[in-house]
Amino acid sequence: MKLASRRMLTIRPPTALPLAGFAHSRGLADRPVRKVSGYDILRDPSKNFGMAFDEAARKELGIRGLLPPRACTMADQKRRVLGQLAKIENPLDKYVSLMALQERNQTLFYRIIIDNVYEMMPYIYTPTVGEACQKYGHIFQRPRGLYISIEDKGSVREILDNWPHEDVQVVVMTDGERILGLGDLGTYGMGIPVGKLNLYTACAGIHPDRTLPIQIDVGTNSSVLADDPFYTGIPKHRVRGEKYDEFMDEVITALDNKWPGLLIQFEDFGNKNAFRLLENYRQKICTFNDDIQGTASVALAGLMGAVKTKGTTLKDETFVFLGAGEAGTGIADLIVDQMVEEGLPEAEARAKCWFVDSKGLVVQSRKAELQHHKLPYAHNHEMIRDLKSVVEIIKPTGLIGVSTQGGAFTKQIVDIMSANNERPIIMALSNPTSCAECTAEEAFGWTDGKVLFASGSPFAPVTLNGRTYYPGQGNNTYIFPGVGLAVVVAGIKTITDDMFRKASRSLADQVTREDMGKACLYPPLENIREVSAKIAAAVAEYAWEIGAATKPKPENVEQACHDAMYKANYNEMLLGRGGATKPKPENVEQASVPRRYVPGQQACLDAMYQANYE
């Protein structure tokens, strides 16, 4: 590895990470050249290799003596970290440990996630991230990403200019109003953008320095958070209406102006804001809502796998949804699009999707009270209040849970599904695990193994009558990283619903006969990088086909997707990137003079480190 000049590395600030003591200038052109020492490198997670620096590197970088003398390999480091994690029993403690590793050695963190994605994903995302968000202020160690508050209205661009990386490609943004199935968590919701972007990197190779998690703070209506002494946001009621819309427009416009062409993923906004933001901006910028479109795409892929197993087509099925929010209607919309492509008129396709919300069946007689996204599925039928009766009367072939009501799919309901269908389709998609409508063990057990099952959170294999079933996890991770990679590779201008159907088809096509034999509706999560590359290629090909791509088309699109992936290896890293100096004082000469030593007791007191911020 060719190394830069000894001890001090001269770098250009746009690629640098800000370290302690950096002077900051908002303008880019006028930023001074900065230098970084070996000590600074060890404190920079994107450049620190820890004990993996060999003797030559330590000498060239000026870090001899700053590390234990014995060098080790990345494999040694991985074994050490995995051994430490194995001794931690509490999942939240594993989450904290992994986030701490990310702050020390980013490359090692991602290498461990990439090589152990099936084992690590439950700790860096669902279900553990739900508890992490609920306790975010209590486990807070170091900020990640940007916090943009309603009190920053009018100066959002200045805040964006504080971000050190100049080539941001993917943003995940939340206002924390509807975090998973846990409700309004305010700025504690930052765990979601951080977690999603970790998956963008681990599962599709988006470079971590080109990602940006953003927490929008417009207040919280949670009285629990208002009384929490460690709450990290503004303890005021949420701002709504015109002021909210103006603020969000400033944020989105500033992002698009600063980093033209970047992908903005909306995540865990409340229903009203989620639909409105998506509709307002989807034709103007490159954006999507993962709760609406990502969830829909992964659910559609699972349904495609289910009908393939049954030997039917999607247009032959009828679905009842428990939960009529953004996730449920998003899934139904994509199902309708697919049924139309299979030859069914749109009105007939919509008639095959039924919704049950908190008041009962969504029907025509309730139109005056229904939110706009429910109206297309308000059918001409008598009102039915409970899910059991709906399933008895409608006789669906598929039951889809997006309600966050843990245990809502009771044995009675599943028994009816099983009696009416040779291979009932049941999807309990709510997160985290405590909110799942039923467990895998319940679904397989109550149907004697007949069910075609998927869940939002992971469940262990189920052994029944000598056969082992492997429940598929309908995790959005199968979809959004690949879509993001397609945006990066092809330079996609806007993301359409048809792109998500292309992603669904690609994912479903990757389910093998072996997978179906295990009753699994999705390919193994261990293959997620290969899965993401194929999805990215399918979406990118379609973008070039319809003229939505801005970059030249490579000869081999799938190979280009693989080549674009961040690999998380030390030999990828450029040791000469990044750095710092102390802020320049107003009086350089005066600052260079040592403090005068005052004899006696006061001098001893003055010399003491006080551990105060001042």
Side-chain angles (χ1 to χ4, degrees):
M1 183 183 298
K2 186 176 180 181
L3 300 172
S5 59
R6 186 175 180 176
R7 288 195 174 276
M8 302 299 288
L9 304 176
T10 301
I11 54 88
R12 293 288 171 185
T15 60
L17 282 173
L19 303 174
F22 273 24
H24 180 66
S25 168
R26 286 194 177 88
L28 300 181
D30 61 344
R31 288 187 187 180
V33 173
R34 299 165 178 170
K35 294 178 183 293
V36 59
S37 70
Y39 184 83
D40 291 328
I41 288 174
L42 295 181
R43 295 298 180 270
D44 185 338
S46 69
K47 302 172 185 63
N48 175 33
F49 304 164
M51 289 178 63
F53 283 117
D54 61 20
E55 184 178 352
R58 295 179 188 205
K59 184 175 181 180
E60 292 292 338
L61 298 175
I63 55 178
R64 293 171 66 193
L66 301 181
L67 291 167
R70 182 175 180 177
C72 65
T73 65
M74 178 182 272
D76 295 328
Q77 292 175 311
K78 284 168 55 182
R79 282 194 295 272
R80 178 188 294 130
V81 171
L82 291 173
Q84 293 167 348
L85 288 172
K87 295 175 182 177
I88 301 174
E89 295 184 1
N90 185 287
L92 183 60
D93 291 338
K94 289 181 188 282
Y95 172 91
V96 172
S97 180
L98 284 165
M99 294 303 103
L101 172 63
Q102 186 176 17
E103 294 297 343
R104 295 193 308 273
N105 186 334
Q106 175 177 281
T107 312
L108 179 61
F109 168 80
Y110 284 113
R111 188 72 260 162
I112 287 173
I113 304 304
I114 290 168
D115 291 345
N116 305 274
V117 66
Y118 180 79
E119 295 83 3
M120 294 294 116
M121 192 178 292
Y123 303 125
I124 65 168
Y125 204 64
T126 55
T128 308
V129 73
E131 183 181 2
C133 286
Q134 289 175 309
K135 301 175 179 177
Y136 210 71
H138 298 256
I139 62 173
F140 184 86
Q141 295 181 351
R142 184 177 178 182
R144 293 190 65 80
L146 284 178
Y147 289 81
I148 306 178
S149 158
I150 188 68
E151 296 180 355
D152 300 315
K153 191 172 183 291
S155 58
V156 170
R157 178 54 190 259
E158 294 179 37
I159 291 175
L160 297 185
D161 287 341
N162 289 339
W163 189 247
H165 301 296
E166 294 309 311
D167 186 20
V168 174
Q169 295 174 329
V170 182
V171 164
V172 176
M173 176 194 306
T174 187
D175 71 355
E177 186 172 7
R178 195 201 61 82
I179 297 297
L180 301 173
L182 304 171
D184 186 350
L185 295 185
T187 57
Y188 277 9
M190 182 54 124
I192 299 298
V194 168
K196 289 278 187 176
L197 287 168
N198 283 339
L199 296 178
Y200 265 108
T201 299
C203 301
I206 306 299
H207 197 290
D209 290 350
R210 295 170 186 162
T211 67
L212 173 56
I214 294 180
Q215 174 66 56
I216 300 296
D217 185 8
V218 292
T220 176
N221 292 342
S222 168
S223 58
V224 174
L225 295 180
D227 295 334
D228 183 348
F230 298 114
Y231 181 57
T232 53
I234 302 170
K236 298 179 181 178
H237 286 293
R238 284 186 171 272
V239 170
R240 299 197 183 279
E242 186 176 346
K243 187 175 181 181
Y244 177 93
D245 290 343
E246 290 176 354
F247 175 58
M248 289 303 301
D249 187 68
E250 181 185 354
V251 172
I252 293 165
T253 301
L255 281 167
D256 191 53
N257 287 341
K258 182 171 176 63
W259 294 294
L262 91 164
L263 167 61
I264 299 176
Q265 176 178 320
F266 295 118
E267 191 72 32
D268 287 352
F269 284 76
N271 281 346
K272 291 181 180 179
N273 291 332
F275 284 107
R276 191 175 66 258
L277 288 170
L278 180 61
E279 290 308 312
N280 286 349
Y281 294 100
R282 65 187 306 176
Q283 301 299 329
K284 301 175 183 177
I285 61 172
C286 184
T287 187
F288 70 92
N289 184 301
D290 190 48
D291 305 299
I292 299 172
Q293 296 160 287
T295 299
S297 185
V298 76
L300 178 60
L303 294 173
M304 287 176 169
V307 297
K308 186 197 307 187
T309 303
K310 292 176 65 175
T312 63
T313 62
L314 202 64
K315 67 180 181 180
D316 299 321
E317 309 295 327
T318 299
F319 300 100
V320 165
F321 293 79
L322 179 62
E326 57 194 90
T329 55
I331 295 170
D333 288 346
L334 215 56
I335 288 174
V336 168
D337 288 346
Q338 183 61 31
M339 287 181 174
V340 170
E341 186 174 276
E342 293 177 2
L344 208 61
E346 182 177 335
E348 291 184 30
R350 290 196 184 278
K352 285 179 167 286
C353 296
W354 297 77
F355 280 86
V356 178
D357 64 11
S358 59
K359 296 183 179 179
L361 190 64
V362 173
V363 292
Q364 284 279 332
S365 60
R366 296 178 54 202
K367 284 186 71 172
E369 69 182 39
L370 294 175
Q371 293 170 290
H372 75 281
H373 61 277
K374 300 180 186 181
L375 291 174
Y377 300 99
H379 303 313
N380 188 14
H381 196 282
E382 64 177 337
M383 177 62 175
I384 307 173
R385 300 256 174 218
D386 64 289
L387 179 63
K388 176 177 172 290
S389 298
V390 170
V391 173
E392 285 177 327
I393 295 169
I394 302 299
K395 292 182 170 54
T397 58
L399 184 60
I400 300 174
V402 282
S403 66
T404 70
Q405 297 177 29
F409 292 169
T410 64
K411 186 177 187 303
Q412 275 187 313
I413 291 171
V414 174
D415 283 346
I416 297 169
M417 287 292 297
S418 186
N420 291 341
N421 299 280
E422 181 60 31
R423 299 299 303 272
I425 301 170
I426 296 179
M427 290 185 158
L429 299 179
S430 293
N431 283 312
T433 309
S434 60
C435 296
E437 287 78 9
C438 68
T439 67
E441 186 175 10
E442 289 167 344
F444 284 105
W446 293 339
T447 63
D448 198 27
K450 295 195 310 179
V451 71
L452 294 165
F453 177 80
S455 59
S457 288
F459 285 107
V462 176
T463 300
L464 186 68
N465 300 325
R467 181 182 174 186
T468 300
Y469 301 88
Y470 294 82
Q473 184 185 357
N475 193 317
N476 294 17
T477 303
Y478 279 115
I479 296 294
F480 69 79
V483 172
L485 181 59
V487 170
V488 170
V489 170
I492 296 175
K493 296 179 291 186
T494 57
I495 299 175
T496 67
D497 287 341
D498 282 341
M499 291 179 186
F500 280 101
R501 286 202 299 117
K502 295 293 182 184
S504 300
R505 173 53 65 191
S506 175
L507 179 57
D509 288 346
Q510 294 180 65
V511 178
T512 65
R513 290 187 178 275
E514 182 182 358
D515 298 327
M516 289 188 286
K518 296 178 179 178
C520 189
L521 302 181
Y522 298 98
L525 201 56
E526 292 88 342
N527 300 340
I528 188 62
R529 281 206 153 197
E530 181 65 30
V531 170
S532 294
K534 289 184 180 299
I535 288 174
V539 173
E541 288 274 14
Y542 180 70
W544 274 299
E545 180 184 328
I546 65 172
T550 61
K551 293 183 179 179
K553 184 178 179 180
E555 187 174 333
N556 186 324
V557 176
E558 187 174 333
Q559 186 58 51
C561 292
H562 278 290
D563 293 344
M565 288 183 174
Y566 165 76
K567 306 299 191 298
N569 294 321
Y570 288 148
N571 58 11
E572 279 191 330
M573 305 299 292
L574 300 176
L575 299 180
R577 293 178 62 213
T581 59
K582 293 181 179 180
K584 181 179 178 181
E586 288 185 13
N587 188 326
V588 178
E589 183 178 354
Q590 181 64 34
S592 65
V593 178
R595 178 178 292 182
R596 177 183 298 276
Y597 179 80
V598 181
Q601 184 180 16
Q602 187 59 46
C604 296
L605 293 173
D606 291 344
M608 288 183 177
Y609 170 63
Q610 304 296 331
N612 293 323
Y613 286 139
E614 60 269 20

